């Protein structure tokens, strides 16, 4: 069967990062980008460079380092956005600018307050502007799936003539259905022979508000799209984007039905999913297709019996195909640096010697406290190491004491050190020990951070498992995540809150917001 190659455009670092609370720091973005290259994605949308200095720097660094995939920066149809995106990708081996402008009636009237002619004019101008920086320009008519078909055709033709090489028709609000979305692609392609004559790529970009994002993306491909925009674990605005792993495995597992192929190495899917979940703090739901904990678990006796007799009775994919390890390798206190490096590599992390040393130190300390060190422990350590030097060191936890119990007033005393080594101690009472600790930390640092959510989980198995605390705090109008890991859960709680506060201070300094993201 002749198979049509489909480009996988990964927007985990842009649309995915727009998930509330999922902000990634520079090191984390770079690590995920490297893993996406190993996974085999064709395009990485690395960020929205105009939005902040931090985003600009991350897109630039990714563009400089990666040589395989196309590295793309997003821009509104505004000169300063295009300029900034152009600057960010200028060192890329393969650079792309992705320009977007809303086209639906509701967006034009209620959001942009612009007429149709003006929308065409600014889109054409900014596609031409983008072509001055790169040969590869993508254009998206935002809210495309709710745009009148003939208007979609008109703007598509205009931006292709202006130099766009990929046209992405987004289902921005996750409203469309497979038949309807497929029809949009069929219609535009039929009306505009220029698309096939000039080898223009049509692309899908689907949000999952109705749970149809993957089905819609595949319907687009069946009607002529040759690029799919998606994210690892389906993270993204609101209900998220189409999930990369589901699309890839649907096309692969049903290759008897679908005549398409992608360049994704399926054996890297699981490690990529774990890494994105770990670094964004967005846990994968247990029953998530392909990468959820239960995706290959069989509970019912009848199913278990069937799988034991013949795996394919109830399993349509082999878990090893997507890189789920068949048995968990455990490290212990006699494991050396080389074994740790191997394990990190298998988990998808490319570590330099400094990072390896940092992780190794934590590994030795942990291995002294608990017998078995699992992959989950190693992932927790690498995340802490990736944070070090970015924000983790602004305030450090020096000492923590607390009292709590039935009929006792919870009291905590906290000592922190700052970057100059100066120590400060504060005591506070609260509803419970964690509340008391958070009040003391807030007094010392002077950073107001309202606790929005707090969750705790055991990182691995057994009574000696480390506890991981995730918090989300509100600082001004920004939600910021923090995370702490320790064998002592009260210490994890303190570390999580402190890491959120350190992140706020870093964001304030590095991510001086250059513009808000309102439309032109
Ligand atoms: O959902 C959307 O419309 C987008 C565009 C910027 C492509 O993310
Ligand atoms: Zn989107």
């Amino acid at each position: 069967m002749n198979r049509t190659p489909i480009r996988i455009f990964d927007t985990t670092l842009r649309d995915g990062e727009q998930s509330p609370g999922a902000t990634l720091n520079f090191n984390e973005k770079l690590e995920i980008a490297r893993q996406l290259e190993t996974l085999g994605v064709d395009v990485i949308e690395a960020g929205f460079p105009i939005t902040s200095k931090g985003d600009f720097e991350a897109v630039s660094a990714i563009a400089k380092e990666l040589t395989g995939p196309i590295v793309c920066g997003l821009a509104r149809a505004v000169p300063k956005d295009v300029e900034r995106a152009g600057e960010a990708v200028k060192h890329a081996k393969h650079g792309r600018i992705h320009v977007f402008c809303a086209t639906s009636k509701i967006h034009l009237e209620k959001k942009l307050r612009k007429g149709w002619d003006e929308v065409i004019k600014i889109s054409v101008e900014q596609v031409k502007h983008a072509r001055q920086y790169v040969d590869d320009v993508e254009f998206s008519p935002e809210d495309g799936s709710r745009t009148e078909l003939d208007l979609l055709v008109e703007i598509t033709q205009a931006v292709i003539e202006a130099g766009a090489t990929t046209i992405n028709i987004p289902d921005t609000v996750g409203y469309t259905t497979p038949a309807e979305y497929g029809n949009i692609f069929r219609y535009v392609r039929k009306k505009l022979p220029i698309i096939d004559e000039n080898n223009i790529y049509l692309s899908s970009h689907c949000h999952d508000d109705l749970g149809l994002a993957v089905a819609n993306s595949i319907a687009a491909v069946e009607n002529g799209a040759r690029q799919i925009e998606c994210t690892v674990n389906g993270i993204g605005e609101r209900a998220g984007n189409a999930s990369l792993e589901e699309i890839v495995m649907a096309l692969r597992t049903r290759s008897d039905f679908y005549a398409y192929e992608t360049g994704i190495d399926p054996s890297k899917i699981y490690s990529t999913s774990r890494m994105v979940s770990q670094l964004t703090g967005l846990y994968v739901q247990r029953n998530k297709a392909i990468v959820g904990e239960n995706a290959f678990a069989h509970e019912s006796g009848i199913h278990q019996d069937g799988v034991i007799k013949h795996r394919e009775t109830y399993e349509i994919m082999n878990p090893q195909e997507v890189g789920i390890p068949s048995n968990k390798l455990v490290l212990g206190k006699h494991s050396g640096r080389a074994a740790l490096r191997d394990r990190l590599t298998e988990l998808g992390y490319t570590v330099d010697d400094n990072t390896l040393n940092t992780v190794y130190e934590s590994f030795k300390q942990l291995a002294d406290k608990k017998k078995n060190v699992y992959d989950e422990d190693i992932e927790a350590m690498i995340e802490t190491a990736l944070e070090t030097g970015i924000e983790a060191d602004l305030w450090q936890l020096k000492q923590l004491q607390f009292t709590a119990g039935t009929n006792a007033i919870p009291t905590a005393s906290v000592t922190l050190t700052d970057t100059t080594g100066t120590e400060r101690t504060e005591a506070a009472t609260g509803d419970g020990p964690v509340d008391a600790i958070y009040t003391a930390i807030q007094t010392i640092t002077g950073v107001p951070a309202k606790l929005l959510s707090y969750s705790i989980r055991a990182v691995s198995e057994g009574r000696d498992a480390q506890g991981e605390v995730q918090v989300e705090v509100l600082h001004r109008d920004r939600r910021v995540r923090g995370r702490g890991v320790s064998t002592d859960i009260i210490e994890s709680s303190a570390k999580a809150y402190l890491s959120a506060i350190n992140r706020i201070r870093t964001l304030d300094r590095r991510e001086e917001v250059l513009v808000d993201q309102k439309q032109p």
Side-chain angles (χ1 to χ4, degrees):
M1 192 193 283
N2 265 349
R3 299 196 175 272
T4 307
I6 301 297
R7 276 186 175 168
I8 295 294
F9 174 118
D10 180 278
T11 183
T12 305
L13 297 176
R14 199 279 297 169
D15 218 329
E17 208 212 4
Q18 286 175 220
S19 308
T23 337
L24 295 162
N25 70 32
F26 179 87
N27 286 345
E28 292 165 339
K29 279 197 154 197
L30 209 57
E31 202 58 48
I32 291 179
R34 291 180 185 132
Q35 176 67 7
L36 291 172
E37 181 173 41
T38 311
L39 177 67
V41 308
D42 300 282
V43 188
I44 295 179
E45 186 162 57
F48 194 172
I50 191 72
T51 55
S52 70
K53 193 162 164 272
D55 230 36
F56 175 84
E57 284 168 0
V59 177
S60 255
I62 293 168
K64 276 184 197 147
E65 183 177 317
L66 302 194
T67 52
I70 296 168
V71 178
C72 171
L74 183 67
R76 296 166 303 176
V78 177
K80 61 178 186 296
D81 281 40
V82 172
E83 225 171 274
R84 199 82 176 138
E87 280 298 310
V89 300
K90 77 174 176 205
H91 296 296
K93 184 156 181 220
H94 314 284
R96 174 181 293 187
I97 300 177
H98 177 186
V99 180
F100 74 98
C101 185
T103 50
S104 64
K105 189 163 179 281
I106 184 169
H107 277 230
L108 260 62
E109 281 178 15
K110 308 285 181 204
K111 187 184 75 166
L112 290 187
R113 301 207 172 87
K114 287 190 193 303
W116 178 249
D117 289 347
E118 198 182 347
V119 163
I120 296 260
K121 181 171 168 285
I122 59 175
S123 300
V124 163
E125 276 171 8
Q126 292 318 311
V127 166
K128 284 186 179 160
H129 185 190
R131 280 297 301 253
Q132 290 171 11
Y133 294 89
V134 283
D135 291 338
D136 184 346
V137 173
E138 172 167 331
F139 179 79
S140 288
E142 193 196 9
D143 205 15
S145 60
R146 293 195 299 173
T147 300
E148 219 180 282
L149 276 177
D150 288 321
L151 295 183
L152 214 46
V153 170
E154 189 185 337
I155 197 158
T156 299
Q157 175 159 14
V159 292
I160 290 175
E161 284 167 2
T165 44
T166 297
I167 305 295
N168 176 51
I169 304 177
D171 181 30
T172 304
V173 290
Y175 181 72
T176 198
T177 66
E180 183 183 54
Y181 197 52
N183 181 50
I184 296 174
F185 285 81
R186 199 166 48 244
Y187 189 86
V188 171
R189 202 166 154 225
K190 187 164 159 228
K191 288 278 174 179
L192 294 175
I194 186 178
I195 291 175
D196 289 339
E197 285 160 14
N198 289 280
N199 194 23
I200 302 293
Y201 273 75
L202 289 183
S203 164
S204 71
H205 177 111
C206 297
H207 282 269
D208 207 28
D209 300 67
L210 294 173
L212 292 171
V214 170
N216 288 337
S217 308
I218 293 178
V221 161
E222 289 179 295
N223 287 282
R226 288 187 296 146
Q227 172 179 285
I228 300 179
E229 303 198 354
C230 49
T231 58
V232 175
N233 299 336
I235 64 171
E237 281 276 354
R238 307 181 310 279
N241 288 64
S243 133
L244 180 149
E245 58 280 4
E246 291 175 24
I247 289 165
V248 168
M249 291 315 289
L251 297 183
R252 192 178 158 88
T253 307
R254 296 307 313 274
S255 60
D256 58 323
F257 187 79
Y258 294 124
Y260 310 105
E261 64 189 5
T262 72
I264 298 295
D265 173 355
S267 71
K268 298 286 185 299
I269 284 181
Y270 185 68
S271 52
T272 311
S273 159
R274 298 277 321 195
M275 180 189 284
V276 168
S277 159
Q278 187 70 22
L279 299 185
T280 56
L282 300 173
Y283 294 129
V284 173
Q285 81 203 45
R286 290 179 85 101
N287 61 327
K288 163 86 176 60
I290 320 293
V291 290
E293 214 176 310
N294 291 355
F296 295 94
H298 303 277
E299 181 66 22
S300 117
I302 297 173
H303 288 209
Q304 288 175 351
D305 179 53
V307 171
I308 289 164
K309 287 182 175 140
H310 187 79
R311 193 183 55 77
E312 277 131 45
T313 49
Y314 286 100
E315 262 180 17
I316 59 164
M317 292 167 276
N318 187 335
Q320 269 91 64
E321 194 184 342
V322 294
I324 297 180
S326 53
N327 54 354
K328 287 203 167 183
L329 242 159
V330 178
L331 299 184
K333 71 172 171 196
H334 300 298
S335 310
R337 221 173 279 257
L340 180 64
R341 189 195 279 279
D342 282 356
R343 206 65 215 119
L344 282 166
T345 308
E346 280 188 29
L347 292 170
Y349 294 91
T350 329
V351 289
D352 57 25
D353 288 346
N354 277 347
T355 315
L356 179 66
N357 288 344
T358 313
V359 179
Y360 190 66
E361 279 315 306
S362 328
F363 167 75
K364 286 302 243 186
Q365 282 172 19
L366 187 64
D368 274 343
K369 285 191 200 156
K370 69 200 282 280
K371 191 164 163 271
N372 295 326
V373 179
Y374 297 94
D375 284 353
E376 292 82 352
D377 293 313
I378 296 172
E379 287 168 338
M381 287 185 271
I382 181 82
E383 196 195 336
T384 309
L386 289 176
E387 282 183 347
T388 306
I390 296 288
E391 62 264 313
D393 294 339
L394 295 178
W395 286 104
Q396 284 200 15
L397 183 63
K398 175 91 194 297
Q399 202 181 30
L400 178 64
Q401 283 177 309
F402 68 93
T403 52
T406 311
N407 295 327
I409 297 175
T411 311
S413 158
V414 177
T415 305
L416 303 182
T417 47
D418 68 13
T419 38
T420 64
T422 312
E423 280 184 21
R424 271 199 61 190
T425 302
E426 284 291 338
T429 56
D431 292 339
V434 173
D435 186 39
I437 288 166
Y438 287 6
T439 305
I441 291 179
Q442 214 172 85
T443 314
I444 298 174
T445 60
V447 179
K450 183 170 178 261
L451 187 67
L452 294 178
S453 71
Y454 171 100
S455 63
I456 183 161
R457 68 173 189 117
V459 167
S460 57
E461 303 156 20
R463 284 182 61 175
D464 62 353
Q466 298 196 92
E468 180 187 66
V469 171
Q470 291 262 7
V471 296
E472 208 185 335
V473 302
L474 187 68
H475 175 68
R476 303 202 195 102
D477 56 354
R478 185 156 49 194
R479 285 163 174 261
V480 180
R481 181 175 63 84
R483 159 185 170 283
V485 183
S486 167
T487 44
D488 172 342
I489 57 169
I490 299 291
E491 188 178 302
S492 318
S493 305
K495 283 182 169 174
Y497 191 66
L498 200 55
S499 105
I501 285 191
N502 283 334
R503 218 171 247 262
I504 289 169
R505 294 227 342 217
T506 316
L507 288 173
D508 278 350
R509 264 197 241 148
R510 290 183 69 242
E511 302 224 337
E512 160 212 359
V513 175
L514 301 176
V515 289
D516 62 20
Q517 292 177 31
K518 277 195 232 105
Q519 290 287 314

